[in-house]
Amino acid sequence: MKKLIAVALPTFLLTSLCHADDTAPQDSFARIRVFQQNQIDLGLFPHRDCYRFSFTGDNGDIVESQALKSFLHLSENKSIGMPETPNTRGLAARNNFISKAYYQEYKIPAGEITTLTASFGDSYSKHCNTLAVKFTPQAGTDYEAMLNVDFDQEACRLVIGAIPHDNPDAPLEQLDHLTPASYCPDNK
């Protein structure tokens, strides 16, 4: 019995600590949920006030693409415990014949600049140039980001906002500290 308690107690404590870490932002972190699908790409560049794309993956972007899985309708959400919102519950409405929407959640450093990019392109020559903003995430705050594409208006709109702490079902709170971000110069 003593051996069982000696093994079970550390396992319980480790499980409890890991669970607490995933369900609430830590003081030095914020969390962000990015919505993606085939043809819509979002990039997230912590510690960067600009962005750079690279085929080798050494550009600082932390978002994992599931474009092929999205095309095959096999993409999966990646959650670290952020609260449900109307955007997660309405995710299926973003699906179309060649694209299944999904989201991924990430911890990002609070109090440090982060750049977010979004773009859209399809095989019928419709596209949106890269939209990019930078902001400084606040500790303990949850954010959502997505690119809304309006085919009728031929327009793309990058949406990023804070999930209200006291009411995750409310609309996203607008961020006052968003500024445009640019492509990084070669020396950065």
Side-chain angles (χ1 to χ4, degrees), residues 127-128 147-157:
H127 72 280
C128 293
L147 183 68
N148 289 334
V149 180
D150 184 334
F151 292 105
D152 296 332
Q153 300 291 321
E154 295 185 6
C156 293
R157 185 170 156 256

Side-chain angles (χ1 to χ4, degrees), residues 2 13-14 27 31 35 63 69 75 93 95 97 107 121 128 132 140-141 145 149 163 171 184:
K2 287 182 183 181
L13 290 174
L14 182 59
D27 290 341
R31 299 183 298 186
F35 293 86
V63 174
K69 286 182 176 181
S75 55
N95 294 345
F97 179 67
K107 283 185 187 179
C128 293
T141 302
V149 180
I163 299 171
C184 293

